[in-house]
Amino acid sequence: MKQFIKIFILILAGIIFLGTFVFLYQKSQPQKTTYELLTPQIMDLIQTTVVTGKIEPRDEVAIKPQISGIISDVCKEAGETISKGEIIAKVKVIPELGQLNSAESRVRLAKINESQATTDLERMEKLYERELISSEEYEKVLLSTKQAREELQTAQDNLEIVKEGITKNSASFSSTLIRSTINGLILDIPIKVGNSVIMSNTFNDGTTIATVADMNDLIFRGNIDETEVGKIKEGIPLTITLGAIQDMRFNAVLEYISPKSIGVNGANQFEIKAAIDIPDSITVRSGYSANAIINLQMAQQVLSIPESALEFKEDSTFVYILTDSIPTQQFERRYVKTGVSDGINIEIKQGLTLNEQVRGLKKNL
């Protein structure tokens, strides 16, 4: 029985040794490598780039008050259409105490002067009727009286403006009524009844009452890299896709390329604007994210191969040309001059003919 076990162990060891030897032998044998063969083709190539940006109205106006005060009424809401001259909100003036005292004092003084001038005029009229004074003297007193009355009216109007921000004679031109300056759509009304507002002047931008825009005239605004800006010019067509309407494309025309670059994440980019054509049946909102597809270069009916077949070394480009396939594939490294690329295929301007085959991806057998 022991002898049988010894024989079994020896046989098992021999099998393991032989299997290991065969495995190592097979592993040491060189694998036969073959490559996919690519044939050059004649095709049209278009090099494109995608510029990210957003859609916005060409004309967007911030409506600001011409007087400081408190919002007493808001007549419109965001999303409503509005015509030029329509009232958006009303402002109640809160008079400043110093200005109010000054205006009231001016009115009191003007009343005194007007009362004295009226008395003088009545006295001079009696003398003039008796021909005791000349016409020239009478006319001077009459002029002074008219001036005093005009000053009184001006002082009273000024007091009304200080108190109410409006006079009875100029109600239609009141600065307390905030009106739209253009026809369009109200994009935003950031104020509410009771909010304090500041007038727009040289030293202060003022409080924005509303933002109004003409949504019938939209543009695409985005930034293009400095490596590509030299390949575009005003007037070229663009194709616009919107993030909110992904199944549609819109035509656009490039209108503006900024003459000055801006830094974006360490790269120099140039702002571009394009007029976009939106059908009336499509609703596009201000601020939609969008992509603009721009054709940078085009080559028609040129010799091309897949860009993956190229080998790049420094500033030169090479391909491997099939010279023999028996018993194994043999290739020759050759310099080629390239042209337009669409990201998949690339134009070969020099170094390759239509009937030659190019080495592609490696396949292990």
Side-chain angles (χ1 to χ4, degrees):
M1 185 66 178
K2 292 182 178 180
Q3 186 175 4
F4 175 77
I5 293 175
K6 289 181 179 180
I7 295 173
F8 176 77
I9 292 174
L10 290 173
I11 293 174
L12 182 61
I15 292 173
I16 293 174
F17 176 78
L18 182 62
T20 302
F21 177 79
V22 172
F23 173 78
L24 294 175
Y25 175 78
Q26 290 178 345
K27 290 291 289 184
S28 65
Q29 296 300 308
Q31 293 183 344
K32 184 179 180 180
T33 302
T34 60
Y35 294 88
E36 178 186 1
L37 298 179
L38 305 175
T39 302
Q41 297 180 355
I42 300 296
M43 64 175 62
D44 295 337
L45 296 177
I46 301 176
Q47 181 184 2
T48 63
T49 188
V50 177
V51 177
T52 59
K54 63 179 181 178
I55 301 298
E56 59 185 42
R58 185 188 302 277
D59 297 320
E60 183 174 321
V61 179
I63 308 297
K64 299 177 182 291
Q66 297 303 311
I67 194 168
S68 299
I70 294 177
I71 298 295
S72 61
D73 188 20
V74 178
C75 307
K76 295 290 184 178
E77 294 182 356
E80 293 184 17
T81 57
I82 192 170
S83 300
K84 181 178 179 180
E86 279 194 73
I87 298 174
I88 301 174
K90 298 179 181 179
V91 176
K92 180 181 179 181
V93 176
I94 305 299
E96 196 271 327
L97 188 58
Q99 291 181 341
L100 181 61
N101 289 336
S102 177
E104 290 176 342
S105 175
R106 181 181 174 185
V107 170
R108 289 192 295 268
L109 181 60
K111 286 181 177 180
I112 293 172
N113 292 334
E114 191 272 340
S115 177
Q116 182 61 47
T118 301
T119 301
D120 292 343
L121 179 60
E122 291 175 352
R123 184 182 302 115
M124 296 302 287
E125 283 178 343
K126 293 178 180 179
L127 294 175
Y128 181 68
E129 289 174 355
R130 298 176 184 177
E131 298 182 354
L132 298 177
I133 59 173
S134 64
S135 299
E136 182 179 358
E137 290 178 308
Y138 172 72
E139 290 173 355
K140 286 182 179 179
V141 174
L142 180 61
L143 178 61
S144 298
T145 303
K146 290 181 178 179
Q147 290 176 340
R149 290 171 179 172
E150 183 65 27
E151 171 59 25
L152 176 59
Q153 183 62 50
T154 302
Q156 290 173 339
D157 288 344
N158 182 65
L159 179 60
E160 284 188 74
I161 291 175
V162 171
K163 286 183 175 181
E164 306 293 338
I166 183 176
T167 66
K168 295 178 181 179
N169 297 328
S170 60
S172 60
F173 304 101
S174 171
S175 57
T176 62
L177 303 178
I178 312 303
R179 303 174 185 270
S180 175
T181 56
I182 63 171
N183 298 326
L185 181 74
I186 300 177
L187 302 182
D188 185 30
I189 298 183
I191 50 88
K192 296 180 180 180
V193 173
N195 287 161
S196 297
V197 295
I198 302 174
M199 66 181 293
S200 176
N201 53 39
T202 306
F203 307 102
N204 197 309
D205 289 338
T207 305
T208 298
I209 301 296
T211 303
V212 181
D214 181 6
M215 297 302 292
N216 294 319
D217 188 6
L218 300 175
I219 63 171
F220 167 84
R221 184 195 296 267
N223 296 323
I224 189 170
D225 192 82
E226 63 179 339
T227 59
E228 299 173 333
V229 70
K231 300 177 183 179
I232 62 175
K233 61 182 180 179
E234 288 88 350
I236 65 172
L238 285 70
T239 301
I240 305 296
T241 60
L242 305 181
I245 314 175
Q246 299 182 2
D247 57 342
M248 296 190 67
R249 296 190 172 209
F250 305 93
N251 297 323
V253 177
L254 186 62
E255 289 186 337
Y256 170 80
I257 304 174
S258 174
K260 183 180 180 181
S261 68
I262 56 175
V264 180
N265 297 326
N268 289 330
Q269 296 189 343
F270 291 81
E271 183 184 57
I272 63 172
K273 299 177 185 177
I276 181 172
D277 183 18
I278 303 291
D280 294 337
S281 59
I282 304 298
T283 300
V284 175
R285 302 183 186 279
S286 177
Y288 270 174
S289 61
N291 292 328
I293 303 173
I294 307 176
N295 294 339
L296 300 178
Q297 297 182 77
M298 177 181 292
Q300 296 181 327
Q301 296 299 295
V302 295
L303 185 70
S304 62
I305 62 172
E307 194 166 346
S308 59
L310 297 179
E311 178 186 274
F312 298 94
K313 187 173 183 181
E314 297 179 353
D315 295 334
S316 301
T317 309
F318 300 90
V319 295
Y320 287 85
I321 308 299
L322 179 69
T323 57
D324 197 357
S325 59
I326 300 176
T328 59
Q329 292 176 331
Q330 302 293 325
F331 296 95
E332 176 188 61
R333 188 170 183 257
R334 184 185 299 176
Y335 167 79
V336 292
K337 185 177 180 180
T338 59
V340 176
S341 169
D342 63 2
I344 299 176
N345 298 300
I346 190 168
E347 175 188 3
I348 303 297
K349 293 184 175 181
Q350 181 182 333
L352 186 63
T353 61
L354 189 60
N355 57 357
E356 291 180 307
Q357 290 184 305
V358 178
R359 189 179 81 179
L361 297 177
K362 181 170 65 175
K363 298 188 297 184
N364 292 326
L365 299 180

